[in-house]
Structure formats: C-alpha cells, structure tokens
Amino acid sequence: MTTTPPVVAISDLSTRLGEVWIHRHLNLDIAAGELVALVGGSGSGKTTLLRQMVGLLTPTQGTIRLFGEPLFGGGVVRERALRQRFGVLFQQGALFSALTVFDNIAFPLRELRCFDATTIRDLVMLKLEMVELLPQHALLLPAELSGGMVKRVALARALALEPELLLLDEPTAGLDPDRSAGFVRLIRRLGDELGLTVLLVTHDVATLAALTTHVAVLADQHILAYGTLDEVRQFDHPFIRNFFPPQR
Amino acid sequence: MSRAGFSETRSASGQPELLLTGRWTLRALAEPGTTAAAWQNRLRELGRRDAVSWNCLDIEALDSVGALLLWRSWGRKLPGLLLMRPEHRHIFERIAAAEREPAAVVPPRSPFEGLIVLGAGVLSVIRQLRDFVALLGQLALDLLHLLRHPGDLPAREISANIYKSGMRAMPVTALVGLLIGIALSYLSSLQLRQFGADIFIVNLLGLSIIRELGPVLVAVLVAGRSGSAMTAQLGVMRVTEEIDALATMGVSSSLRLVLPKVVALAVVTPLLVLWATALALLGGMLAADIQLGIGVGYFIETLPKVVPVVNLWIGLAKGAVFGLAIALIACHFGLRVKPNTESLSANTTAAVVTAITVVIFIDAMFAIALRNVGLPRL
Ligand SMILES: Nc1ncnc2c1ncn2[C@@H]1O[C@H](COP(=O)(O)OP(=O)(O)OP(=O)(O)O)[C@@H](O)[C@H]1O
Ligand SMILES: [Mg+2]
C-alpha cells in the first residue's frame, strides 16, 4: 500500500499583498484525520492563508497541494472535482443573500445534478438538524438570521457536499458557550464518523483544547510551531506565552 | 477508492444476507451514470424479497448521503435484522431525529391568490408614494435645519457629487451630443433639399436640439449613469448596514447622503444640457456645411434670429427639473433596498426605468404647458 499524501501540503509559501509580506517561507503539512487549530494574532494572515488554500488567492511564491494535487490546472472538471472535496466556512458566513437558508444549503447539492428534490430536501433537513437549527428556520433569508445562526447555516452549507477536508474561519466566534461546545462536539463526531480532516482558525483556547489534535501557530510570517497542544506550549516565544497562559 | 457495492450471501445460520461493501459516500454514489434514485430502487427491491438481514459491518465509509439512501430504501426505519458499527448507527440516529422534528409550516395558498397579488401591488404603489412624500418632507426639514445651522451644509459631499456626476459625465455627453447632431442634420438636410428649403435647417436643428433633444438626451444619460450609481451606492450601504452605522453616530443619512446627490444633480444637469446642446449644434452645423453648403458663419448668425432665446431657458429649466427628479427617484429606490443582492438589482433597475419614464412624462407636461412660448410663427 502506498502512503497517502498529506491532505494539505504547503511548501515554502510567501505572500505579498500590496507592499507588505504577509507570509515568508511558510511550510505546513496536515495529515488525514487531523483536527488542526490555526492560531495567530489578529492580522497575522490566517484568513489569507485559508483563502490561498482554497484557491481564491494565488501565492506569490511556493506551492499548495490538497490531497496531493495542485489546486490549478488540468481542466475545469478536475478543478471542480477537487473543490467538491473540501468545504469552507468563511469568517463572515458568505451566505447567498438572495436565497433562503434552505436554498443556500441545497445549492451545492443541486449543482451535482444527481439528486431528486425529495432527497435534497431530506439532506438539507438533516444538515439543519446537525447544526441545531429548526426546520422553520429553513424559510428565512440570511438577513433575518442572528450572527450565530449565520455561522451555523454556513457550516451546514460547507458540510452539504460531505467534504473530506473542512476549513473553518473562526467558526465559534459569535456563538454562546453552550452552542460553541456543541459545535465542537459536532465537528469531533464528524471527524470520527467520516475521517474528516479539519483546519480551523480560532482564538478560543477552550475550543482548541477540547477539539483539536494539533495546533499550528502562525506568527512572524510563518508557522512557528506545529504539534499537539502540549508540544506547542513548550515552545518558548512571546506570542505562545501570551496565547496559552501557563497552567495553574 | 472502492465503490459502493452489495452482494447476496448466506449468513452462518443459513439466512439470506445482504452484504454491503465499499464507500457509501456522496462522491462514490454520485459517479456518472448512476443516480441516487436508481441505487435506492435496486436496494428496495432486494430488501423486499424476503426477510433478509443487512450486514453493514464491511462498509468502508458512510456519510449522510449514503445513510439517507439506505434509510429510504429501508422505508424510513432500521430493518429488523441489521449488523452495523456503532459509529454508523449514530448517523441513522441523527436522521431519525431530523425526521421527528415537525416540518416547517408553509402558509397554505389562498383561493383568492390573484386578488391578493393585485391588492399587494396596489398597496405597494401606495406605500412607495408615501415613502417618496416622506423623503421629500425629510429633505424639506433638512433644508430648514440648514437655514438655521448653515455649518452643517454637506459642502464636501455636494462638491464630490458634482464632480462625479458632472465633470466625469462630460466626455460621454459630448460624444453622444455630437453624434446626434450630425445624424439629425444629415437626415433633415436630405429631406429639406427636396423642397429647396435648405436654410430652414437652422430653425429645425436649433429648435429641436435646444428645446427638446438636448435636455431629454442628457436626462437619459444622467439617469443611466449617475442615477443607477446612486441607487447602487445607497443600496450597498443598506446591505452592509453602513446607513445604520451612520444613524447610530447621529449623522442624518438624508442630510449627508441624499441631499448632496439631489443638489448636485439639480445643479449639474442644466450645465450638462448646455454642454451637450452646444456640441449637438456643432455637429449639426458641420454636417449642414458639408451636406448643404450652409456655412458655419451663416448658421451662427441666423440661429438667434430664428430660435428665440427663451427656448434655451426652457431647456435649462427642464434640465434642472430632470436632474432633481432623477436624483430623488434614485435615492428613493436606493433607500428601499433590502439587505440582499436580489433586491439591490431589482431596485436599481426600477430606479433607472422609473427615472426615464418620469423624465419623459415631465417633458410632455412642459410641452403642453409652454405650447405658446418661444415658438416663432412664420
Ligand atoms: N486584499 C488585501 N490587500 C492588502 N492587504 C490585505 C488584503 N487582505 C488582507 N490584507 C492584510 O493582510 C493581513 C492579514 O489579514 P488576514 O485577514 O489574513 O488576518 P487574520 O489573521 O485572518 O486576522 P483576524 O484574526 O483578525 O481575522 C492584514 O494585515 C491585512 O491588512
Ligand atoms: Mg481572519
């Protein structure tokens, strides 16, 4: 049996936006089944890194491979097939404002063109139940949702295509502690059931401790440390000392 | 990646058994050539034959799509004889839970659907008119406020709007004016020459361009160019809650956003009318020179004699009224945008269409009201 390539492989990535270098010589490999938290100061380039991983921004230098494949090239069909293997939750939700919650979640399923209307309806209701929303919420428009509900609908949409890799930008920001914990449990369970690989950006140490197998610290324009929470804690750097206060 | 599959076997106790193997995931099931419905029918048929036991222990991967497929072919319940790994059972528990949730109530269709649609349409028109009057009232209040607090005059915004919708519109209005002048002059001169009435080209062009074409042409261009931009700007500010943010800072959105646009267009449109009229006359003059041999000098000399100057004032007054109407309509629709993209595009379209219609309507009013003014009798 051949060894499976890492789900995410970033090598020697450098990014310049305008005149500023956001990343320099950044390397990160994420193996299948890992639940990785990406932490870093505000404005350190976490969202930018995520946008590059999903192909919305091209790196100035370096390469990014998902599932061992490059993001670009090889024709529309290959690119689309690759993009259907990961789901993204944007920091602001990025729901389609003209579509109801139901249609937002159904949209990627309809794009596949292989399910009939009842199957899609059942799948959407299932996803809603997964993120603890009620069926009557399906009829609302994004503008009629609370901030936390937007996050949950966006997660449901990201989960719609049963992705193998889930990229979440601050999924628990805006949720109450109870929901936030439920969210974390949900992601962990999905990870167990489906062998999902998850990369999430978070500022919440509680989420991070409860959920993740690995922590990646983005500071000084590169991945400063990557390992389990305890390994990362050992690392001596001002940012890490501030982010993870010493255990009492 | 192994595909989803199943085979019929017999279990140790000799019972018929269905052995499910492979990946029961969305990607494996959605391969070209098969549809979910086809899978479901095959499974349902197998399950119906006799009391089979389902062996799901060998399934490599199961996601909610695969699970839903099985669930539906089992008739929305777990079969009596089932072997399954516990982590897969969780998925079915979740499906069952989702089904227990009461479905969302969609209000039933009323038998008076047509009447309701009609009524809603009428009410919406009434509401639009009311909102429009409210906007006018608010602007009047703003003007009163400005009289008492002249320091609050949004001078920078007015100036920025004048630049954006005036200066920036000069090239396009010039080009359109020039071309229309040339086209009109060519066509008319062909006709006039047949009657030997060559010199009347001056009367014809002068009157039609100065009084009618210049103002309407500019108004249409301004509505399409600045009107749509104003609606879209206000609309996006509604979508991104910027207008709410302004309100919480105690900044009146009508004073800071609407008034400058209205003032700017009311000032700038007559100037654009003047500019476009001049260029249209220039184009007409050149074409007349080439086509009919009527010299530019003669044209300029004759124009004031045959076209009374009051026509120019009428044209400019029309320009000011048109500009006012376009800006008010654009802002009215911009403020009505609901926070979604569909509403943004609908209101932008409505703003431009309404503005152009209203402009033509006002133009007709002018024509009727001023039918005895400025038309030379021969
Ligand atoms: N389009 C852009 N052009 C220029 N600079 C940009 C652009 N987008 C982001 N930046 C800059 O890149 C840096 C990183 O931004 P990014 O959004 O990735 O931060 P972040 O780590 O996600 O922060 P936060 O935790 O606050 O979300 C910031 O300094 C930002 O100003
Ligand atoms: Mg960010």
Side-chain angles (χ1 to χ4, degrees):
Chain A
M1 217 180 128
T2 55
T3 53
T4 49
V7 174
V8 178
I10 303 175
S11 61
D12 196 34
L13 175 98
S14 299
T15 316
R16 195 175 67 184
L17 291 176
E19 288 304 304
V20 191
W21 286 95
I22 310 288
H23 309 123
R24 273 180 203 270
H25 307 299
L26 183 151
N27 291 291
L28 179 65
D29 281 357
I30 298 176
E34 287 182 359
L35 267 76
V36 182
L38 180 64
V39 302
S42 188
S44 58
K46 303 179 295 294
T47 302
T48 309
L49 185 62
L50 229 59
R51 289 175 68 83
Q52 287 175 335
M53 287 166 59
V54 299
L56 291 174
L57 270 177
T58 42
T60 316
Q61 274 166 32
T63 56
I64 297 181
R65 297 171 83 85
L66 296 187
F67 311 103
E69 295 179 43
L71 275 167
F72 297 102
V76 179
V77 175
R78 192 198 70 86
E79 284 189 13
R80 188 173 58 202
L82 182 66
R83 275 156 185 69
Q84 283 169 353
R85 292 176 69 181
F86 58 76
V88 188
L89 171 65
F90 288 94
Q91 196 164 3
Q92 320 291 347
L95 296 179
F96 303 123
S97 59
L99 302 183
T100 60
V101 167
F102 182 94
D103 290 328
N104 261 286
I105 304 173
F107 181 81
L109 292 167
R110 291 193 179 128
E111 282 298 290
L112 282 182
R113 287 171 229 280
C114 69
F115 296 115
D116 56 16
T118 33
T119 314
I120 288 182
R121 200 195 66 87
D122 283 351
L123 284 172
V124 171
M125 288 306 159
L126 185 60
K127 297 287 163 328
L128 278 179
E129 144 81 21
M130 274 180 166
V131 296
E132 298 177 32
L133 286 169
L134 298 174
Q136 67 253 33
H137 293 143
L139 303 177
L140 298 178
L141 284 170
E144 297 161 347
L145 300 176
S146 75
M149 283 160 85
V150 168
K151 279 272 156 72
R152 283 183 276 155
V153 175
L155 178 71
R157 188 178 69 179
L159 287 173
L161 287 186
E162 310 289 343
E164 296 161 56
L165 169 66
L166 205 50
L167 301 162
L168 312 171
D169 200 350
E170 310 207 7
T172 52
L175 296 184
D176 61 68
D178 211 27
R179 285 267 157 59
S180 169
F183 201 97
V184 167
R185 272 198 305 278
L186 166 70
I187 293 174
R188 249 230 311 256
R189 206 173 56 204
L190 288 173
D192 292 346
E193 284 167 8
L194 302 172
L196 212 60
T197 312
V198 182
L199 176 73
L200 77 160
V201 174
T202 183
H203 294 297
D204 180 14
V205 183
T207 308
L208 194 146
L211 179 64
T212 57
T213 59
H214 290 71
V215 177
V217 181
L218 178 60
D220 300 343
Q221 301 165 333
H222 64 278
I223 299 292
L224 198 65
Y226 180 64
T228 62
L229 183 56
D230 288 330
E231 284 167 12
V232 169
R233 268 183 204 280
Q234 305 304 321
F235 205 86
D236 190 34
H237 185 275
F239 175 78
I240 293 180
R241 256 180 317 209
N242 287 333
F243 197 90
F244 305 105
Q247 280 153 320
R248 267 149 289 175
Chain B
M1 196 159 79
S2 53
R3 294 184 52 160
F6 49 82
S7 53
E8 292 172 81
T9 54
R10 295 206 162 262
S11 67
S13 55
Q15 258 193 330
E17 188 184 63
L18 269 180
L19 181 67
L20 305 185
T21 53
R23 300 176 66 87
W24 289 74
T25 60
L26 177 130
R27 240 163 304 285
L29 293 170
E31 272 179 22
T34 52
T35 61
W39 272 98
Q40 203 175 304
N41 289 339
R42 273 156 71 193
L43 281 172
R44 186 174 294 159
E45 228 167 74
L46 285 172
R48 211 182 288 137
R49 247 187 256 156
D50 44 8
V52 290
S53 92
W54 294 77
N55 184 345
C56 302
L57 292 174
D58 283 352
I59 289 182
E60 273 175 42
L62 180 71
D63 64 13
S64 38
V65 173
L68 191 74
L69 207 80
L70 289 173
W71 178 255
R72 286 172 49 170
S73 44
W74 290 336
R76 297 184 176 276
K77 60 180 192 312
L78 289 182
L81 299 164
L82 175 67
L83 296 169
M84 182 177 278
R85 294 212 292 267
E87 68 264 30
H88 290 164
R89 247 177 225 277
H90 284 309
I91 305 180
F92 289 99
E93 277 161 23
R94 205 183 301 130
I95 295 179
E99 255 167 30
R100 274 197 301 276
E101 295 276 358
V105 243
V106 184
R109 283 170 69 95
S110 146
F112 304 111
E113 195 78 23
L115 204 61
I116 290 174
V117 169
L118 188 71
V122 172
L123 285 182
S124 128
V125 169
I126 292 175
R127 208 173 311 124
Q128 294 243 12
L129 285 176
R130 206 182 54 202
D131 287 353
F132 191 71
V133 172
L135 181 69
L136 289 182
Q138 182 60 48
L139 286 179
L141 289 179
D142 285 340
L143 286 177
L144 275 183
H145 172 85
L146 283 181
L147 280 183
R148 276 186 281 144
H149 306 91
D152 284 354
L153 184 78
R156 280 168 151 279
E157 283 85 353
I158 293 178
S159 141
N161 274 299
I162 287 180
Y163 175 72
K164 266 193 298 192
S165 41
M167 274 296 288
R168 293 304 229 13
M170 283 176 75
V172 64
T173 40
L175 183 68
V176 172
L178 195 71
L179 293 178
I180 292 280
I182 291 173
L184 204 63
S185 177
Y186 259 111
L187 286 177
S188 319
S189 55
L190 287 179
Q191 298 296 311
L192 287 175
R193 191 153 46 182
Q194 289 184 4
F195 300 107
D198 296 17
I199 51 160
F200 283 103
I201 188 82
V202 184
N203 309 38
L204 194 70
L205 282 185
L207 202 63
S208 61
I209 289 176
I210 295 175
R211 186 172 169 130
E212 203 53 48
L213 266 173
V216 172
L217 207 64
V218 166
V220 169
L221 282 175
V222 167
R225 197 184 163 280
S226 310
S228 61
M230 287 172 179
T231 309
Q233 191 197 7
L234 287 179
V236 171
M237 289 184 80
R238 294 245 341 149
V239 173
T240 55
E241 299 182 336
E242 286 170 55
I243 290 187
D244 298 346
L246 276 179
T248 59
M249 295 174 201
V251 177
S252 151
S253 61
S254 66
L255 185 63
R256 197 62 69 85
L257 296 175
V258 177
L259 191 73
K261 293 181 169 55
V262 175
V263 172
L265 271 202
V267 170
V268 132
T269 319
L271 298 177
L272 283 176
V273 168
L274 197 64
W275 167 248
T277 303
L279 276 144
L281 284 177
L282 178 71
M285 222 147 54
L286 294 178
D289 195 359
I290 295 167
Q291 189 81 356
L292 297 174
I294 290 180
V296 171
Y298 174 79
F299 198 109
I300 293 176
E301 203 176 300
T302 325
L303 188 63
K305 290 186 200 140
V306 295
V307 182
V309 73
V310 66
N311 285 296
L312 184 63
W313 296 121
I314 292 177
L316 294 184
K318 275 188 188 177
V321 175
F322 292 167
L324 204 66
I326 292 170
L328 284 172
I329 290 168
C331 292
H332 167 74
F333 281 102
L335 291 173
R336 286 173 50 81
V337 170
K338 302 233 162 41
N340 68 67
T341 48
E342 196 56 46
S343 163
L344 181 65
S345 78
N347 275 294
T348 311
T349 311
V352 175
V353 172
T354 315
I356 292 178
T357 315
V358 166
V359 160
I360 307 269
F361 185 74
I362 297 176
D363 191 54
M365 297 278 116
F366 264 100
I368 295 170
L370 301 177
R371 63 189 178 281
N372 296 324
V373 182
L375 296 176
R377 304 207 187 279
L378 297 175

